[in-house]
Amino acid sequence: MGALTVFALGHAVAALSTSFTVVLTARVVTALATGAFWAVGFVIATTAAGPARSTRAVGVMMGGLTLANVIGVPIGSFVGHYTGSRGPFWALAVLAALAAVFVGRFIPRTEQRAEVSVRAEVRALKQGRLWLALGAAVLIMGGVLATYTYITPLLTDRAGIPAGAVPLVLIAFGIGALGGTAIGGRLGDHRPMITTITASTATSLILLVLIPASNSPVAAVVLVVGMALAGSTVNPVVTSLAVRFAGDAPTLTSALTTSATTPASPPDPSSPGGPWTPPSA
């Protein structure tokens, strides 16, 4: 709730300010709050759901992030064109404040954990299997998002898809990512290793095939959606495993997992963008 409150206040400050320095500082502060929210949120979600459904709980949380990218990024870009920076900032502030209220009202109360020292949190990071899970997440999501960065030129220049149709492909990418998150959340509780290995292998093969096959519009779209589906399947599984491996000291581990699997919202590749201008008085 504290992280969401800081997030809301930071965007309110950004909406009210006409100084680039103030807006930049507010964005850094809200980014810190975002990381804190996800790190603690994963621990709360897995604890509330219990060991048997921890991966599914993580999948639901990551599904929210995917929906935010699929729906929020295009809407934010659209609204920003008509309202300037002030509109999206105010929207984020209001939504975060509402989220804090709903979290306080509806998140179930769980038994208080014994206070864990920083030293215990660091000790939990000594496990080789934990770093293997984090490394897999970094490499897989790094490959998927590096490719995502160049989606627009790949679709238009190489596959020959009209620029006006690119947003539809991006929506399909988001739907694929949402589906992968749901699949990983459902299968990861019962078959975490098989799910991770299968999804990782599929992601690698799709990225390899994308190189020669992207000159076909149909193949390019199918492979882009498949890349999102396979790559996103890994996220809830490795996150749940990492929190589980940490035992009674999961918070620092969750923070590292968040950094590995939950990147900041990527820019809308279909948006031409433009220089930032201060909101009018």
Side-chain angles (χ1 to χ4, degrees), residues 2-3 9 22 39 52 55 59-60 62 78 110-111 114 118-119 123 160 183 196 202 217 240 243 258 263 277 281:
L9 292 175
V22 173
T55 304
V60 171
M62 288 188 167
F78 177 79
T110 58
E111 294 182 5
V118 175
R119 182 176 298 178
R123 275 201 305 267
I183 292 172
T196 302
S240 178
V243 173
T258 301
T277 53

Side-chain angles (χ1 to χ4, degrees):
M1 290 175 64
L4 287 168
T5 302
V6 171
F7 188 89
L9 292 175
H11 282 93
V13 170
L16 293 170
S17 176
T18 58
S19 166
F20 178 79
T21 301
V22 173
V23 172
L24 182 61
T25 302
R27 293 292 288 167
V28 171
V29 172
T30 55
L32 291 172
T34 301
F37 169 82
W38 283 102
V40 178
F42 282 139
V43 176
I44 292 176
T46 54
T47 302
R53 295 188 176 184
S54 60
T55 304
R56 185 176 300 184
V58 172
V60 171
M61 278 194 67
M62 288 188 167
L65 176 65
T66 304
L67 281 176
N69 284 328
V70 175
I71 299 174
V73 171
I75 290 179
S77 178
F78 177 79
V79 171
H81 280 298
Y82 291 94
T83 65
S85 61
R86 195 185 290 266
F89 284 161
W90 277 123
L92 287 171
V94 171
L95 289 173
L98 288 175
V101 173
F102 276 92
V103 165
R105 174 65 180 83
F106 293 107
I107 292 295
R109 298 291 180 182
T110 58
E111 294 182 5
Q112 292 292 327
R113 291 175 173 266
E115 187 172 342
V116 179
S117 67
V118 175
R119 182 176 298 178
E121 294 277 0
V122 174
R123 275 201 305 267
L125 302 179
K126 294 182 178 180
Q127 304 177 68
R129 58 181 182 173
L130 170 61
W131 288 102
L132 182 61
L134 291 175
V138 169
L139 292 174
I140 293 168
M141 289 310 300
V144 170
L145 291 177
T147 305
Y148 180 86
T149 303
Y150 299 97
I151 283 290
T152 296
L154 183 141
L155 294 175
T156 56
D157 299 344
R158 183 165 173 81
I161 295 175
V166 170
L168 298 178
V169 181
L170 298 181
I171 292 175
F173 177 95
I175 294 173
L178 183 61
T181 301
I183 292 172
R186 184 164 292 273
L187 297 180
D189 285 322
H190 306 291
R191 299 178 179 85
M193 293 298 102
I194 294 176
T195 302
T196 302
I197 292 171
T198 302
S200 302
T201 303
T203 304
S204 300
L205 291 175
I206 290 171
L207 288 172
L208 286 172
V209 174
L210 187 62
I211 298 171
S214 58
N215 55 354
S216 166
V218 175
V221 172
V222 170
L223 289 171
V224 165
V225 175
M227 176 183 68
L229 179 70
S232 299
T233 300
V234 179
N235 287 354
V237 183
V238 295
T239 300
S240 178
L241 285 175
V243 173
R244 192 183 310 167
F245 292 159
D248 293 330
T251 308
L252 184 55
T253 299
S254 177
L256 289 175
T257 310
T258 301
S259 301
T261 62
T262 313
S265 300
D268 181 359
S270 66
S271 175
W276 181 86
T277 53
S280 57

